[in-house]
Amino acid sequence: MKEIYFLRCRECGKTFPNQPQSYCEECFAPLEVSYDYEALRQTTSREAVSRRAFNMWRYAEFLPLPQGFTASQPIGGTPLVKSRKLGLHLGVKNLFFKNDAVCFPSLSFKDRVVATALAAARRFGFETIGCSSTGNLANAVAAQGAQQGFDTCVFIPADLEAAKILNTAVYGARIVRINGNYDHVNRLCTQIADKFRWGLVNVNLRPYYAEGSKTHGYEIAEQLGWELPDNVVVPMAGGSLIGKIAKAFAELAHLGWVEPKQVKFFGAQATGCSPIADAVKRELPRFTPQKPNTIARSLAIGNPADGPFALRLIRESGGWAEDISDPEIIDSIKLLAQTEGIFAETAGGVTAGVAAKLIQQGRIGNDETTVVCITGNGLKTTDAIAAHFPATEVIEPKLDAFEALLQEQLKDSIQV
Ligand SMILES: *Cc1c(COP(=O)(O)O)cnc(C)c1O
Ligand SMILES: [Zn+2]
């Protein structure tokens, strides 16, 4: 039987059979997975999807999975939380957080992309898998690689957050720390993928990897009652996720599962690594690569592979991009935790802070529906905020000691 998905060049449109390859042999542009949507229309329906368990596999027909694929873990299916306090504080009525900080199994949206990449890795017969990573991807590859019995080897910048390294090591993955930033690590991985028969999820398996991100978008539409939002605010590292949310929305509209709508795409970056936001704000035709310097390590990609496509999408959708500084990222992590009870990692601080900035600028309207994508968990980047929360006083286990402490705190709170 003919497969309903295949590879297609994003620039020249040339098509290729399914294989572990990420760029076009004709024009060297990136390849992406394309589908026969008429065949897809025959094999699935909104009602059929709605009856399945709430995780990313309910959208299996929309993903490049091998024949007879069975999922080994319930990945994705994260909450869409309606804001109460933060929306009120910012003066907007319909603000939502899509919370992939609690994605299973490794607490970031990278669990979704690794799920589809490893399905492809198995199909192509790879025994060793790996990735170049700013942290979360390595966590997800290590966790799912262990569960599925792959030999796993990940490549990271040497100075990543300790928690991100530990969250990879615990699964038994081999870790290669590179003296350099992500862009150096990624270049090395391109050479490794050429030379060894290894499945590097975001290198030679990149088209299959990227498709997993679409499930973040399908879930948003479904959780809004099969409607598209007016705006989405998306963190950008390589610039892949933002484009795949757009692809998910376009597919649902094409199949008639949602009313078509011109959704505005807003990109969020940290000022210390903001090549895409910089190009949007200065209205440049192309972005200029940067040398990253920010606490938002998971977004620290100075030369984003999908940057040109993200830039085009943001412009054509009528959206915008913004960036915030490291101190603003910390304030915004605290604000999100203290208003919504969501503890996001630095990337989530970037996204929430940029959303607030766009609302203040009037680029996001107060009666529009806006979804802010929270992509990673705060427990992985505690180093970034630890200095802001010094240890509190210790008292004896006696009632009078507690009463004295209360008195003292009362005095302090009156002073401010
Ligand atoms: C990787 C990552 C992103 C961005 O992903 P791209 O698809 O590379 O733009 C956003 N947030 C977190 C937490 C990530 O780990
Ligand atoms: Zn091409």
Side-chain angles (χ1 to χ4, degrees):
M1 201 177 96
K2 194 167 159 283
E3 283 186 295
I4 72 157
Y5 63 89
F6 49 91
L7 296 175
R8 184 204 294 276
C9 172
R10 296 191 71 174
E11 288 299 344
C12 75
K14 187 172 156 63
T15 63
F16 298 83
N18 289 300
Q19 58 187 303
Q21 169 134 359
S22 65
Y23 59 88
C24 173
E25 283 151 4
E26 302 278 316
C27 70
F28 299 101
L31 299 180
E32 89 170 324
V33 180
S34 256
Y35 299 79
D36 174 350
Y37 287 106
E38 290 322 302
L40 224 169
R41 206 190 285 282
Q42 307 305 317
T43 55
T44 184
S45 71
R46 209 170 87 169
E47 289 60 43
V49 162
S50 305
R51 281 194 295 270
R52 298 175 182 163
F54 187 60
N55 60 60
M56 69 178 271
W57 304 118
R58 76 207 251 110
Y59 303 101
E61 286 87 350
F62 293 83
L63 301 172
L65 302 174
Q67 302 260 315
F69 173 82
T70 50
S72 54
Q73 282 184 311
I75 292 159
T78 59
L80 181 75
V81 185
K82 178 145 193 201
S83 168
R84 290 157 159 258
K85 279 162 120 183
L86 191 54
L88 208 60
H89 172 76
L90 296 168
V92 290
K93 285 201 281 283
N94 292 309
L95 184 66
F96 294 85
F97 295 99
K98 176 60 174 166
N99 190 6
D100 270 14
V102 294
C103 201
F104 182 77
S106 78
L107 305 178
S108 87
F109 96 92
K110 292 297 199 307
D111 289 322
R112 300 176 186 271
V113 287
V114 169
T116 49
L118 294 198
R122 204 177 312 159
R123 166 199 176 140
F124 297 129
F126 291 113
E127 283 165 14
T128 302
I129 54 145
C131 62
S132 58
S133 175
T134 57
N136 284 316
L137 183 57
N139 296 170
V141 166
Q144 292 180 50
Q147 199 248 359
Q148 297 185 31
F150 284 103
D151 176 26
T152 304
C153 181
V154 306
F155 298 81
I156 56 172
D159 62 348
L160 271 194
E161 297 100 324
K164 291 256 173 80
I165 300 178
L166 183 66
N167 271 292
T168 300
V170 73
Y171 300 107
R174 271 183 288 159
I175 300 175
V176 182
R177 292 166 67 214
I178 312 286
N179 181 17
N181 62 34
Y182 175 82
D183 298 287
H184 299 121
V185 176
N186 193 247
R187 208 167 309 142
L188 171 66
C189 283
T190 308
Q191 295 171 321
I192 291 169
D194 281 344
K195 177 141 190 194
F196 296 76
R197 242 198 82 75
W198 287 12
L200 300 185
V201 302
N202 56 335
V203 184
N204 50 342
L205 296 174
R206 191 171 178 85
Y208 302 94
Y209 150 101
E211 288 296 289
S213 287
K214 293 193 302 184
T215 61
H216 188 87
Y218 302 133
E219 289 177 15
I220 290 172
E222 183 176 356
Q223 288 169 308
L224 288 174
W226 296 109
E227 268 189 47
L228 300 181
D230 296 303
N231 312 299
V232 282
V233 187
V234 188
M236 301 184 296
S240 174
L241 173 63
I242 192 169
K244 293 298 165 176
I245 296 173
K247 186 176 181 184
F249 290 173
E251 288 175 340
L252 294 180
H254 180 73
L255 293 185
W257 292 23
V258 296
E259 284 295 317
K261 188 189 239 179
Q262 174 86 37
V263 180
K264 290 183 183 162
F265 284 85
F266 293 91
Q269 295 200 296
T271 307
C273 182
S274 51
I276 307 172
D278 173 69
V280 171
K281 287 161 71 179
R282 296 201 288 139
E283 304 190 344
L284 303 175
R286 270 176 292 279
F287 71 84
T288 312
Q290 294 181 0
K291 189 162 176 283
N293 181 17
T294 170
I295 56 168
R297 299 302 304 271
S298 56
L299 303 183
I301 298 185
N303 189 9
D306 291 300
F309 300 101
L311 191 56
R312 202 187 294 169
L313 167 67
I314 289 166
R315 286 208 174 113
E316 289 176 358
S317 74
W320 194 248
E322 265 298 349
D323 52 85
I324 59 171
S325 69
D326 286 1
E328 288 173 314
I329 294 170
I330 291 165
D331 286 345
S332 150
I333 291 173
K334 286 198 246 176
L335 186 64
L336 187 62
Q338 293 173 13
T339 53
E340 303 294 339
I342 296 173
F343 184 20
E345 72 147 83
T346 45
V350 167
T351 318
V354 161
K357 198 164 175 176
L358 292 164
I359 290 165
Q360 277 147 12
Q361 290 172 347
R363 292 185 188 275
I364 287 179
N366 3 9
D367 51 2
E368 295 167 355
T369 299
T370 301
V371 176
V372 177
C373 303
I374 301 300
T375 47
N377 195 294
L379 293 171
K380 298 200 210 184
T381 60
T382 52
D383 292 357
I385 57 166
H388 295 254
F389 298 95
T392 55
E393 200 176 318
V394 178
I395 61 167
E396 292 307 316
K398 303 237 167 68
L399 191 56
D400 58 353
F402 174 62
E403 282 174 335
L405 180 74
L406 266 187
Q407 282 301 325
E408 214 174 295
Q409 289 181 343
L410 207 56
K411 255 191 299 169
D412 289 350
S413 67
I414 287 164
Q415 275 166 7
V416 285

